[in-house]
């Protein structure tokens, strides 16, 4: 859950990298091992583990090691918190644009009335 702006910053920093976004996309389909996540990426397994550490530190991914296999899972609740933050900003801007549209329509009407139209 997002209780601090710092956590949101970490999430967006983690998602700024295209490889990490690709990992998140894959994990949105279900849990995967580190090897499965590494398969389509052009990087070493060590680099994939480093990227996963960033995603885990941001709260987006949880990992669990069972035997020799580390399984990764997306934390959907964390993504919902980021989505909620974005939605709140979108709603704010939509209200502002609606008010601007109404103001411009009113100005257009006043301008037409002044022209004798």
């Amino acid at each position: 859950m997002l209780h601090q702006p710092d956590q949101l910053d970490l999430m967006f920093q983690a998602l700024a990298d295209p490889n990490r976004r690709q990992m998140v996309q894959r994990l949105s389909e279900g849990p995967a091992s580190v090897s499965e996540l590494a398969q389509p990426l052009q990087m070493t397994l060590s680099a994939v583990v480093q990227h996963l550490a960033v995603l885990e530190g941001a709260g987006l991914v949880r990992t669990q090691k069972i035997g020799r296999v580390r399984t990764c899972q997306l934390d959907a609740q964390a993504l919902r918190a980021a989505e909620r933050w974005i939605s709140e900003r979108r709603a704010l801007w939509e209200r502002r644009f609606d008010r601007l549209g109404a103001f411009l329509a009113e100005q257009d009407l006043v301008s037409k009335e002044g022209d004798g139209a």
Side-chain angles (χ1 to χ4, degrees), residues 5 7 10 17 20 29 33 47 49 54 59 62 66 69-70 72 81 87-88 105 113:
Q7 187 65 30
L10 288 174
D17 183 89
R20 290 193 287 265
E29 299 168 8
S33 70
V49 170
V54 172
R62 287 179 278 143
I66 301 174
V69 177
R70 180 167 295 281
C72 308
S87 293
E88 289 168 359
E113 287 175 356

Side-chain angles (χ1 to χ4, degrees), residues 5-100:
D6 294 343
Q7 187 65 30
L8 190 61
D9 292 345
L10 288 174
M11 285 178 146
F12 285 127
Q13 285 175 336
L15 293 171
D17 183 89
N19 292 307
R20 290 193 287 265
R21 286 194 308 271
Q22 187 173 349
M23 289 180 196
V24 168
Q25 175 62 38
R26 166 54 188 87
L27 291 172
S28 70
E29 299 168 8
S33 70
V34 173
S35 298
E36 290 171 330
L37 289 175
Q39 207 167 24
L41 302 172
Q42 300 294 319
M43 64 178 71
T44 65
L45 202 55
S46 174
V48 170
V49 170
Q50 289 176 345
H51 281 292
L52 281 170
V54 172
L55 290 169
E56 199 168 10
L60 294 166
V61 171
R62 287 179 278 143
T63 63
Q64 179 181 13
K65 189 170 184 176
I66 301 174
R68 295 178 54 186
V69 177
R70 180 167 295 281
T71 302
C72 308
Q73 185 172 340
L74 194 60
D75 186 343
Q77 188 172 4
L79 282 176
R80 280 192 292 275
E83 180 184 16
R84 187 171 42 254
W85 184 87
I86 291 169
S87 293
E88 289 168 359
R89 266 93 213 133
R90 180 185 301 124
L92 171 74
W93 280 102
E94 286 174 353
R95 285 191 306 272
R96 288 178 178 175
F97 284 132
D98 288 345
R99 285 196 322 257
L100 176 61

